[in-house]
Amino acid sequence: MSLYPILWAADHAPVRDAEERAILVALVVKCDFDGCNAFRSYKTLAERARVDEKTAGRRCREMETRGLLKRQTEHRSKAWLAIPREQRPVIWEVMVPAEWWSPAQLADINEQRAGLGRPPLTPENRPALASAPPKKNRSDKGTKRPKRNDQSSDPGTDSPGGHPGTDSPHPGDYESGPRGLEVPQPSESPSESPSENNRAVADAEGKSASGFARAASRTGAAEESSEPEGGCAASGTPKLPTQRKTPRPGTTKTRPRTESAGFQTVRAALPAAVAAPGTKLYPGLHRAINDLLDGNVAAGIPRRTPTQVIARINRRWYGEHAETRAAADYRGCDRCTTSGCTAPRRSEDEPDGCDRIRNRNSWLAAAILHQDCPDPSCEDGLILGGGECRACKERHDERRRAAHAAAQASARWDAHGAAQDAAQADGAAWTDAEATEENQLRATLAASGMFGTMLDHHVQRHMAGWRDRNPRPAGPLNGRAVGA
């Protein structure tokens, strides 16, 4: 990773919109100092840029059409060659213009490229890029927003007079009371409790003191007290009625987690670094062991015996050096610290990620449930019940052939680089010898009194003969692999 391509992608690249910039930045964080060897799967780009996987692929192809990206077919890195052939993503060359760098920066970059056998960056192979295309306008731009019908009342509750309320007729004057519905009184004497028409006001007052007092007067609280008729509301002293106390609901107790047959045998065989004897087991690991012992039809996990589960745990834990990778002093990458690691985990999409184990329990739970083979009854190359897994054997042979081919390609590349270095060294030594011979001859002829055109003529004739006797060595192989 280099800072120059990231700065260019974040601030200077002619991208169309923010989505395209996020995808480009997510891609260049994995490229070389000159923009080469930028490879990431579309799935990883989509996760980093928070877009859909198909969107990431479509945007990369659009940037390729505009010249921001170019498919790289030469100088492939060893990390890319180590990926299985069917999983290798596209290698992009981020086309940072040569004129974007300062002369000193460009000279330094070209010097490093020469050491890697790459041609120098020039305005011809890294031309200036056109401006970003204009952003597409919205289809409804310039269209006025439709007006909303803001109704102040519900038309279903309007009275015949056009006012909200009930359908009962209203009098024409303001002095007479409303006709229609009348609320019967419980006694002949006038009651001070609110009428049915004001019941909504009493409800709206909530649980205030006056609300409780009025509710008490309405429900006959005055007849149960020693106060005059009307109760607390008539006396003017607010008093809360006695509220019914309901019993507190009992605590719901969950049943203990079930254990499959043979669970304690597997539990006793767990590594002490995962679960010490007598401690409570991590729920995810507990569930994973039960799934292996009982089988999980929905997840495609067949039933296994306790001996098979213990063997599976030991293969995962000790076979992948989990004890060492989970230690506090283990460093799986340059971002690891004693307290933890913030780098992405190593996976198929992140082959250069950190392999440190941050949580032993969750790692082991995921490891014993992980199944590489499409056959769920495969137990790391052996079918449950006996027999060798044919699918695993074929995949193992294919990976071995791919690793052998990658090793051969790496060896050819190393030999090619060594040959180029030797050719460059021979060329530099011949150039130095030529310059030394010419300088010595000029000094000797000048000391004898020769100068001007005559001096140049003698020097050229002598150097032509010297080059015939000492031919220039062959140059670099111009990118062709040794033995190809």
Side-chain angles (χ1 to χ4, degrees):
M1 181 183 70
S2 179
L3 186 60
Y4 288 144
I6 298 176
L7 292 177
W8 176 81
D11 296 334
H12 303 280
V15 293
R16 176 174 294 175
D17 49 25
E19 186 177 73
E20 196 169 271
R21 186 180 300 279
I23 296 173
L24 183 60
V25 172
L27 181 64
V28 300
V29 296
K30 290 294 184 179
C31 72
D32 293 345
F33 60 94
D34 53 355
C36 295
N37 289 319
F39 59 91
R40 264 187 163 182
S41 65
Y42 293 145
K43 179 180 179 182
T44 304
L45 289 178
E47 292 175 354
R48 299 297 184 270
R50 303 297 190 270
V51 297
D52 186 69
E53 184 174 351
K54 293 184 179 179
T55 302
R58 186 181 69 254
R59 289 306 188 98
C60 286
R61 290 188 292 271
E62 291 177 357
M63 288 189 284
E64 179 187 11
T65 304
R66 302 204 316 269
L68 275 74
L69 298 178
K70 179 182 177 182
R71 295 178 187 262
Q72 181 178 330
T73 57
E74 298 180 350
H75 310 293
R76 295 169 176 172
S77 64
K78 297 180 180 178
W80 184 85
L81 293 173
I83 302 175
R85 186 179 300 275
E86 67 277 2
Q87 299 178 2
R88 291 175 181 174
V90 178
I91 302 182
W92 297 104
E93 180 180 356
V94 183
M95 302 298 288
V96 183
E99 63 181 17
W100 181 77
W101 280 292
S102 66
Q105 294 171 350
L106 188 60
D108 182 40
I109 290 174
N110 286 335
E111 183 179 355
Q112 297 181 52
R113 285 176 62 89
L116 296 174
R118 303 176 186 174
L121 297 182
T122 61
E124 287 72 23
N125 56 19
R126 286 291 182 87
L129 299 174
S131 300
K135 187 176 180 180
K136 294 182 179 180
N137 296 326
R138 292 176 46 177
S139 59
D140 58 348
K141 183 177 181 181
T143 306
K144 293 184 178 180
R145 182 180 298 177
K147 295 183 178 179
R148 297 181 180 177
N149 296 327
D150 191 8
Q151 298 180 356
S152 59
S153 62
D154 188 359
T157 58
D158 287 349
S159 61
H163 302 284
T166 61
D167 293 338
S168 58
H170 286 258
D173 57 348
Y174 64 88
E175 294 180 353
S176 59
R179 298 188 301 273
L181 297 176
E182 295 183 359
V183 181
Q185 299 296 331
S187 63
E188 296 180 358
S189 60
S191 175
E192 296 184 7
S193 63
S195 63
E196 292 294 327
N197 292 334
N198 295 332
R199 206 171 263 184
V201 179
D203 293 339
E205 291 176 354
K207 302 303 181 182
S208 62
S210 59
F212 279 119
R214 294 178 182 178
S217 64
R218 186 168 59 247
T219 56
E223 298 178 0
E224 300 177 2
S225 64
S226 60
E227 297 287 336
E229 187 177 1
C232 299
S235 63
T237 303
K239 183 179 181 181
L240 296 177
T242 303
Q243 300 183 21
R244 183 179 63 183
K245 295 183 179 179
T246 58
R248 188 174 183 177
T251 304
T252 303
K253 296 184 178 180
T254 58
R255 292 180 299 175
R257 190 179 299 275
T258 59
E259 295 180 356
S260 304
F263 178 86
Q264 291 299 332
T265 304
V266 178
R267 172 68 175 83
L270 288 176
V274 176
T279 59
K280 188 176 180 180
L281 199 60
Y282 173 64
L285 184 57
H286 193 294
R287 190 181 305 109
I289 294 175
N290 280 341
D291 286 344
L292 293 175
L293 292 174
D294 296 337
N296 191 330
V297 178
I301 301 175
R303 179 178 298 178
R304 291 173 170 83
T305 64
T307 303
Q308 292 172 342
V309 175
I310 293 174
R312 188 180 183 91
I313 292 174
N314 291 335
R315 282 195 303 269
R316 298 293 192 272
W317 180 259
Y318 299 106
E320 299 189 24
H321 309 287
E323 187 81 23
T324 304
R325 292 164 54 190
D329 57 347
Y330 181 77
R331 299 294 180 266
C333 66
D334 54 356
R335 294 168 63 178
C336 283
T337 61
T338 305
S339 58
C341 179
T342 58
R345 301 293 91 191
R346 180 176 296 180
S347 62
E348 295 180 356
D349 295 331
E350 295 286 348
D352 298 331
C354 181
D355 65 339
R356 179 178 181 177
I357 298 176
R358 291 183 292 187
N359 190 312
R360 300 179 179 91
N361 291 273
S362 60
W363 181 89
L364 184 59
I368 61 177
L369 292 179
H370 180 69
Q371 185 78 12
D372 285 334
C373 183
D375 189 351
S377 61
C378 176
E379 187 68 21
D380 294 340
L382 297 176
I383 301 297
L384 293 177
E388 187 179 11
C389 180
R390 181 177 300 177
C392 287
K393 185 177 184 304
E394 292 177 354
R395 291 192 306 124
H396 176 71
D397 294 341
E398 183 179 356
R399 289 178 180 176
R400 184 175 58 185
R401 289 193 297 268
H404 181 67
Q408 288 182 339
S410 178
R412 287 197 301 268
W413 180 258
D414 294 340
H416 171 65
Q420 281 194 328
D421 293 342
Q424 290 178 354
D426 293 342
W430 185 88
T431 303
D432 294 340
E434 180 189 31
T436 301
E437 180 70 18
E438 182 176 351
N439 292 334
Q440 290 179 355
L441 178 61
R442 284 184 176 275
T444 302
L445 295 178
S448 63
M450 189 179 298
F451 61 91
T453 307
M454 183 62 68
L455 176 63
D456 294 337
H457 174 72
H458 281 78
V459 168
Q460 292 177 3
R461 188 175 60 180
H462 175 79
M463 293 307 298
W466 184 88
R467 294 188 186 96
D468 292 338
R469 296 188 302 272
N470 303 280
R472 185 183 184 91
L477 300 179
N478 298 325
R480 295 188 300 274
V482 175

